[in-house]
Amino acid sequence: MNYSYSSDEDDKPLVFKRTSAADKLKHSGQLKSASSADKLKHLGQLKSASSADKLKHSGQLKSASSADKLKHSGQLKSTSIVNREKPSTSTKPKPPAKQESDTEDSEDDKPLSVRISTVPKTNSNHAKTGPVSASQRPKPQVKNEDSDDKKPLSSKFTSVGPSVKKTDDSDDDDDDKPLSARVKQNGSTSRDNNNNQLNKIPNIGLNKRPPNEERLAGQSSVKKPKLSDSEDENDHVPISQRMKKQTPSGSKPSSSVKQKVVKVNSSSFKKTFKKSNKFEKKSKYSKSSKVPPGSGEGQKWTTLVHNGVIFPPPYKPHGIKILYKGKPVDLTPAQEEVATMFAVMLDTDYMTKPVFKENFWNDWRKILGRNHTIQNLEDCDFKPIYDWHQREKEKKKQMSTEEKKAIKEEKMKLEEKYMWAIVDGVKEKVGNFRVEPPGLFRGRGEHPKMGKLKKRIRPSDITINIGKGAPIPECPIPGESWKEVRHDNTVTWLAYWYDPINGKDFKYVFLAASSALKGQSDKEKYEKARSLKKYIEGIRKAYTKDFINKDVTKRQVAVATYLIDKLALRAGNEKDDDEADTVGCCTLKVENVEPKPPNILKFDFLGKDSIRYQNEVEVELPVFKAIQQFRSGKKGNDDLFDKLDTSTLNAHLKELMPGLTAKVFRTYNASITLDDMLSKGTTAGNVAENVVVYNQANKEVAIICNHQRSVSKSHTAQMMRLNEKIEELKGVLEELETDLARAKKGKPPLKGSDGKIKRNMNPEALQKKIDQTYAKIEKMERDKETKEDLKTVALGTSKINYLDPRITVAWCKRQEVPIEKIFNKSLLAKFAWSMDVDPSFRF
DNA sequence: AGCCAGACTTGTCTTTATGGTT
DNA sequence: AACCATAAAGACAAGTCTGGCT
């Protein structure tokens, strides 16, 4: 039986029901006609026409009527009981509980930390472990079921465009229509082309990030190296250490049985792409062939049609003058434009950064000219422009709903054509079709280039990539033209330009995450991570052995791999001097890792985005000793792993498993942890309880990956408000208790605190009220706790990038949790490829 | 082997939309 | 309707990793 979600309307919860394969097709977008739906039938044994019909309107996952919801009941539910320790904020992260799996690779599915039975007290926890999987690119041995995976997703779900052969033609009567009319849409907001009422109108405006009102001292838009600890009790504990310990629960994962995921592919497509499969299978150890998903020889698409990119509107001078030494100064529009970029940032923390001002001044001065009245930044007062900008913002806010709507529509009309591309006959959303507007570079952390002028991008900066034979997008700015037009079907970008700040970097325009192309590679990513499960045991054995290898390089590789596996560190590529000084595993400095005898390593460094990573971990003695050796004789700023860089490390990893690289461990760790925690923590509880379990697992993953967020400005205030409410309720409670006591004695209630006379209630009614109030208080207390708990933890990143959606979808099916309780619209669209997973899927 | 161009994923923050209250 | 808290969407910076060249 094939379980899948289906739905009838966008706003209804997706529901789980036994259904035909039609649902699988949903993500391919909106089917416009019944016949379109029919076309899809062959793809996945569509069982009922009605299911297919559901897909017609609206774009993608529609939800089933509520009646349908939860149809399949339960015997799938797991009865395991959550038995986890109270998530104390204790400092030590705990390893996920160990579970005995019924599978062969018993030990290996567990997180490393568990296996290592490390320190009881400092629980080193994080690492996870796992099994293996076949990777896609260099396809290692792939299981049969996976065979389809190599094909482009799009081929699976759609009947393709012009060049691709149609699999099923019988029902297709679209051929006579213009291509655009036949195209199917992919993407969540898909709607009919012609009438797109809905889109969001992004603010076209000049500056996308208007300054905020005053920020609290501690909190600025400039990212400072984040400390995971702040004053609160909890906060002194680095996020990475905050994992809760969990005790093993009684539940056992039902082994990592690999499910046969039902494929939707049509056989004809299989054939089409077969060769790459074969090739990959064989070349277990060959370097990953560039052969991408799906097609031969690196081909990513066959036909590609799109309309290019849209540019921000030209600068509109406002005429507000800044003051120089107290006097208004006339500026040309170009000079004013740049001054405005700065003025608008007056209330950000960038203003406290000399580097920012210095860089800004240097670039602005070039525009002012050497002999300009303005000779230094210190004597400039940008307040008038700042104030003007605030007023403009306010005005905008004050606009009536209708006005806003009108503006939005207007913008939509303008942008509509840029929002979509047609890839192999399928209409797909474009991710970022808006060219970045000029502005001041907002580098994160202590970026040496912050404040530099990011110049306006013009058509002559842009290279377009489009299918041969497709109409070349018209250049939206009259009189100008594209830099170049290419027809490269080995890449997925639609356009790019050189990053004005770092001339060697590119800014690409890609398809949106909901596209089949992205979905395909996402799936491959998870399959690769899954395949690591099968290799992990061997890999761990190997590096453990090498902790004491006489060859320093090998020892370093072993220790580095260990850290990446256990702590989910990033690889750590080399960085230039003109970038913020951050590190990853291979670039750790001596000062970033402090050995604390007998066997604790204390990590403290700035990682990606200058987010601070702090953690104390207990490690095996040989690792501890090795680290000591690597440090000896070096200065604090020297590389800890001096014999290593990411290419040597990854080259080594590739020998252990085809396609293996450092980042696969992060994916693996995250997903296996989710799978693990869900299977352990899941009870037969109701939906709300299950959602809590899920979020708890999600949080654990976020902590492992050190996904942080800054505390919201209003956090403290919000907490206070919550506290007040709780206090208030407690007051009510007391009063009720008194009244109850009196009522039992037949006395009337006392006057309320407000002096009002309450009406007489019988004890039962009072008791009921008391119970309700209690429940309310408890709920609020829980909410408060959760809020505090998550104030620095970002759950979204792992959900979007690290957690195999199939784990979530399968679990939702098993637990009868509507999938949209977990995935929002974007995620549903992005993960459309995973919706048909078998409920028994395990990572 | 090291360097670098190139392409694509990951990550945080800001802005906007949404939904619940008052 | 105004308000505000939260969630979703959008923006864009910052990583990873590959492959080709020297």
Side-chain angles (χ1 to χ4, degrees):
Chain A
M1 183 108 283
N2 178 24
Y3 293 90
S4 59
Y5 288 102
S6 79
S7 47
D8 291 323
E9 288 177 30
D10 286 335
D11 40 8
K12 302 235 176 85
L14 274 189
V15 176
F16 172 63
K17 49 194 238 184
R18 286 163 209 254
T19 72
S20 69
D23 298 302
K24 295 173 190 166
L25 309 174
K26 277 180 256 166
H27 75 288
S28 65
Q30 134 171 43
L31 304 179
K32 303 200 170 135
S33 66
S35 63
S36 305
D38 291 338
K39 286 182 200 169
L40 304 173
K41 282 188 187 169
H42 70 282
L43 294 178
Q45 358 20 353
L46 245 203
K47 299 190 177 142
S48 75
S50 62
S51 306
D53 290 339
K54 287 177 190 165
L55 309 176
K56 282 187 261 182
H57 48 133
S58 103
Q60 40 193 128
L61 314 171
K62 266 52 202 325
S63 283
S65 61
S66 25
D68 289 3
K69 147 186 316 187
L70 306 181
K71 275 192 186 158
H72 110 295
S73 72
Q75 31 300 35
L76 289 176
K77 280 185 185 176
S78 120
T79 50
S80 56
I81 296 176
V82 182
N83 179 16
R84 155 175 344 135
E85 259 176 43
K86 220 287 158 19
S88 60
T89 23
S90 76
T91 44
K92 287 8 183 358
K94 319 300 179 104
K98 151 175 209 156
Q99 66 191 60
E100 53 262 276
S101 77
D102 347 28
T103 45
E104 326 62 298
D105 31 350
S106 49
E107 268 280 275
D108 294 322
D109 301 352
K110 288 152 201 123
L112 218 207
S113 47
V114 170
R115 293 190 319 158
I116 299 185
S117 82
T118 20
V119 181
K121 158 190 178 217
T122 325
N123 220 330
S124 55
N125 64 3
H126 328 50
K128 293 12 213 54
T129 346
V132 182
S133 81
S135 74
Q136 316 300 105
R137 295 285 173 96
K139 232 116 211 194
Q141 60 300 50
V142 185
K143 300 187 165 185
N144 288 344
E145 316 98 88
D146 292 330
S147 58
D148 299 338
D149 299 345
K150 283 110 196 200
K151 291 158 199 110
L153 251 197
S154 56
S155 70
K156 301 190 194 174
F157 304 98
T158 66
S159 52
V160 190
S163 56
V164 184
K165 146 127 191 80
K166 267 185 184 163
T167 20
D168 169 32
D169 9 339
S170 48
D171 298 325
D172 187 354
D173 49 343
D174 283 337
D175 287 331
D176 45 334
K177 302 192 182 122
L179 184 125
S180 57
R182 295 189 290 144
V183 169
K184 295 169 191 66
Q185 284 182 183
N186 212 351
S188 54
T189 36
S190 57
R191 63 174 27 78
D192 236 27
N193 245 347
N194 331 333
N195 52 2
N196 44 335
Q197 42 291 34
L198 188 154
N199 295 284
K200 16 222 74 199
I201 290 186
N203 214 354
I204 267 188
L206 339 142
N207 281 303
K208 344 199 96 183
R209 296 185 182 181
N212 289 332
E213 301 297 329
E214 324 281 349
R215 294 168 180 281
L216 297 189
Q219 180 72 13
S220 75
S221 61
V222 172
K223 170 170 267 157
K224 350 175 129 173
K226 290 196 161 178
L227 309 195
S228 12
D229 47 357
S230 24
E231 330 54 312
D232 319 317
E233 46 224 308
N234 237 339
D235 298 337
H236 61 283
V237 185
I239 187 174
S240 47
Q241 288 184 22
R242 284 174 42 207
M243 310 214 272
K244 309 328 183 322
K245 137 188 268 149
Q246 350 181 168
T247 48
S249 76
S251 72
K252 51 170 63 173
S254 67
S255 91
S256 53
V257 187
K258 182 155 188 179
Q259 270 353 111
K260 58 248 152 149
V261 176
V262 183
K263 296 310 168 150
V264 196
N265 281 322
S266 71
S267 55
S268 61
F269 277 102
K270 279 184 182 163
K271 275 177 210 141
T272 308
F273 298 105
K274 189 70 115 295
K275 74 154 164 222
S276 65
N277 288 344
K278 286 212 161 140
F279 167 71
E280 292 182 15
K281 276 186 192 178
K282 273 193 226 157
S283 61
K284 211 175 165 170
Y285 287 86
S286 66
K287 72 224 169 167
S288 79
S289 57
K290 174 93 191 213
V291 185
S295 329
E297 265 57 292
Q299 182 178 323
K300 301 278 172 58
W301 46 264
T302 303
T303 64
L304 173 63
V305 183
H306 63 87
N307 290 308
V309 295
I310 191 168
F311 292 86
Y315 180 67
K316 239 174 70 206
H318 47 62
I320 310 293
K321 297 181 181 8
I322 65 164
L323 308 178
Y324 183 67
K325 299 196 170 164
K327 291 200 203 94
V329 188
D330 282 324
L331 296 177
T332 65
Q335 294 164 349
E336 180 193 283
E337 178 181 18
V338 180
T340 303
M341 293 169 186
F342 187 82
V344 146
M345 294 178 71
L346 241 37
D347 56 5
T348 69
D349 263 15
Y350 283 109
M351 290 304 143
T352 66
K353 310 245 177 177
V355 176
F356 184 89
K357 294 204 221 180
E358 174 74 18
N359 284 333
F360 164 72
W361 172 240
N362 283 336
D363 284 356
W364 190 37
R365 190 161 201 199
K366 284 179 210 151
I367 297 170
L368 293 174
R370 277 275 141 188
N371 301 318
H372 198 274
T373 318
I374 297 174
Q375 284 297 317
N376 70 70
L377 190 58
E378 284 62 44
D379 290 322
C380 293
D381 181 0
F382 295 86
K383 194 80 183 337
I385 298 185
Y386 173 79
D387 290 341
W388 165 81
H389 180 252
Q390 295 303 107
R391 287 195 302 272
E392 290 294 304
K393 271 205 316 198
E394 191 52 33
K395 265 195 233 164
K396 225 164 135 190
K397 236 170 56 187
Q398 296 309 325
M399 285 191 304
S400 71
T401 335
E402 286 78 41
E403 286 175 300
K404 285 185 192 162
K405 209 161 149 196
I407 293 179
K408 210 171 173 176
E409 302 256 319
E410 185 70 13
K411 187 166 189 178
M412 263 304 300
K413 213 183 290 172
L414 213 64
E415 300 190 339
E416 214 277 335
K417 67 181 239 196
Y418 299 99
M419 306 208 313
W420 309 95
I422 301 171
V423 185
D424 292 344
V426 182
K427 184 170 176 181
E428 304 270 21
K429 251 184 154 169
V430 177
N432 53 325
F433 50 87
R434 275 171 277 247
V435 169
E436 292 178 19
L440 302 183
F441 177 67
R442 287 144 123 102
R444 321 248 169 101
E446 295 302 316
H447 197 118
K449 295 192 171 183
M450 64 170 76
K452 282 173 71 78
L453 174 63
K454 209 166 69 152
K455 66 158 220 246
R456 185 175 290 269
I457 302 299
R458 348 203 81 252
S460 58
D461 295 316
I462 296 190
T463 299
I464 297 282
N465 189 34
I466 197 158
K468 242 183 203 140
I472 310 279
E474 185 187 344
C475 178
I477 300 182
E480 302 197 31
S481 54
W482 307 118
K483 176 178 182 180
E484 187 188 344
V485 175
R486 284 193 216 166
H487 310 286
D488 184 352
N489 70 2
T490 68
V491 294
T492 66
W493 53 265
L494 310 186
Y496 81 82
W497 65 88
Y498 283 99
D499 178 359
I501 294 298
N502 205 330
K504 58 185 214 295
D505 289 345
F506 309 73
K507 297 284 197 172
Y508 293 96
V509 174
F510 289 119
L511 293 175
S514 54
S515 64
L517 218 48
K518 293 278 193 191
Q520 170 73 13
S521 82
D522 212 28
K523 181 173 184 180
E524 287 172 3
K525 171 182 76 184
Y526 290 115
E527 279 306 303
K528 184 187 279 185
R530 266 181 107 202
S531 76
L532 176 53
K533 203 171 160 178
K534 302 180 214 125
Y535 291 84
I536 195 74
E537 183 183 8
I539 290 171
R540 288 177 176 156
K541 267 188 192 137
Y543 68 56
T544 300
K545 221 167 166 184
D546 279 345
F547 287 158
I548 52 173
N549 196 305
K550 282 168 289 277
D551 181 335
V552 191
T553 305
K554 285 188 177 150
R555 224 181 313 140
Q556 291 195 0
V557 167
V559 173
T561 308
Y562 168 84
L563 295 180
I564 284 168
D565 180 20
K566 183 178 171 79
L567 303 178
L569 299 188
R570 295 187 185 84
N573 282 315
E574 304 291 335
K575 297 191 74 182
D576 284 347
D577 293 338
D578 59 2
E579 298 176 277
D581 193 12
T582 62
V583 304
C585 184
C586 292
T587 40
L588 282 169
K589 307 278 188 260
V590 163
E591 63 199 3
N592 296 140
V593 188
E594 185 193 328
K596 293 173 53 169
N599 63 337
I600 310 265
L601 293 180
K602 183 177 170 190
F603 292 84
D604 190 346
F605 61 87
L606 296 184
K608 180 175 178 178
D609 290 316
S610 293
I611 297 292
R612 188 171 178 186
Y613 181 94
Q614 288 182 105
N615 197 8
E616 281 190 35
V617 201
E618 172 150 355
V619 300
E620 287 81 347
L621 208 52
V623 172
F624 184 80
K625 292 197 167 141
I627 294 283
Q628 284 180 316
Q629 289 160 14
F630 302 153
R631 286 167 50 99
S632 72
K634 291 183 192 167
K635 290 181 301 218
N637 199 33
D638 289 343
D639 286 339
L640 179 67
F641 297 116
D642 52 306
K643 308 284 192 216
L644 216 55
D645 63 23
T646 52
S647 36
T648 47
L649 181 68
N650 281 334
H652 172 254
L653 294 177
K654 286 217 169 59
E655 289 173 9
L656 304 175
M657 181 190 114
L660 185 60
T661 62
K663 84 185 191 89
V664 179
F665 284 92
R666 258 170 96 77
T667 310
Y668 168 76
N669 249 256
S671 287
I672 198 80
T673 298
L674 176 72
D675 193 78
D676 205 42
M677 285 190 69
L678 288 183
S679 73
K680 285 203 286 247
T682 295
T683 69
N686 62 29
V687 170
E689 287 165 349
N690 275 316
V691 170
V692 169
V693 168
Y694 187 91
N695 288 338
Q696 188 61 38
N698 192 168
K699 177 185 162 196
E700 170 113 359
V701 171
I703 290 171
I704 290 168
C705 293
N706 201 37
H707 290 146
Q708 300 192 36
R709 61 172 184 167
S710 53
V711 181
S712 102
K713 266 194 293 201
S714 51
H715 179 81
T716 314
Q718 288 171 11
M719 289 305 281
M720 277 171 52
R721 213 162 309 161
L722 269 179
N723 277 329
E724 275 167 26
K725 282 195 175 166
I726 290 173
E727 285 313 310
E728 198 182 309
L729 280 176
K730 281 183 178 164
V732 171
L733 191 62
E734 252 175 60
E735 231 174 82
L736 286 170
E737 303 265 21
T738 328
D739 292 347
L740 175 62
R742 293 173 60 88
K744 279 180 178 164
K745 295 181 202 151
K747 300 184 201 164
L750 292 173
K751 282 200 257 188
S753 44
D754 48 5
K756 284 207 183 122
I757 298 175
K758 289 176 287 195
R759 87 187 148 86
N760 238 328
M761 292 176 79
N762 61 39
E764 291 73 34
L766 280 168
Q767 187 58 54
K768 196 176 161 203
K769 264 198 137 170
I770 287 174
D771 293 343
Q772 283 171 346
T773 311
Y774 254 123
K776 222 166 161 181
I777 291 176
E778 268 171 25
K779 180 175 182 316
M780 290 190 78
E781 295 275 12
R782 271 200 313 275
D783 289 352
K784 192 180 115 188
E785 216 172 287
T786 309
K787 191 187 179 85
E788 183 66 29
D789 215 30
L790 291 180
K791 78 174 176 189
T792 60
V793 182
L795 301 186
T797 310
S798 49
K799 224 177 192 173
I800 295 172
N801 299 302
Y802 289 105
L803 301 176
D804 187 335
R806 293 170 299 182
I807 299 169
T808 302
V809 172
W811 175 83
C812 279
K813 288 177 180 177
R814 278 181 257 132
Q815 301 302 125
E816 299 181 351
V817 172
I819 188 66
E820 55 285 287
K821 290 280 180 200
I822 311 288
F823 289 157
N824 62 35
K825 221 168 82 179
S826 312
L827 291 175
L828 286 174
K830 169 170 176 156
F831 297 141
W833 59 268
S834 70
M835 293 300 153
D836 64 345
V837 70
D838 190 286
S840 58
F841 175 91
R842 295 297 303 275
F843 185 73

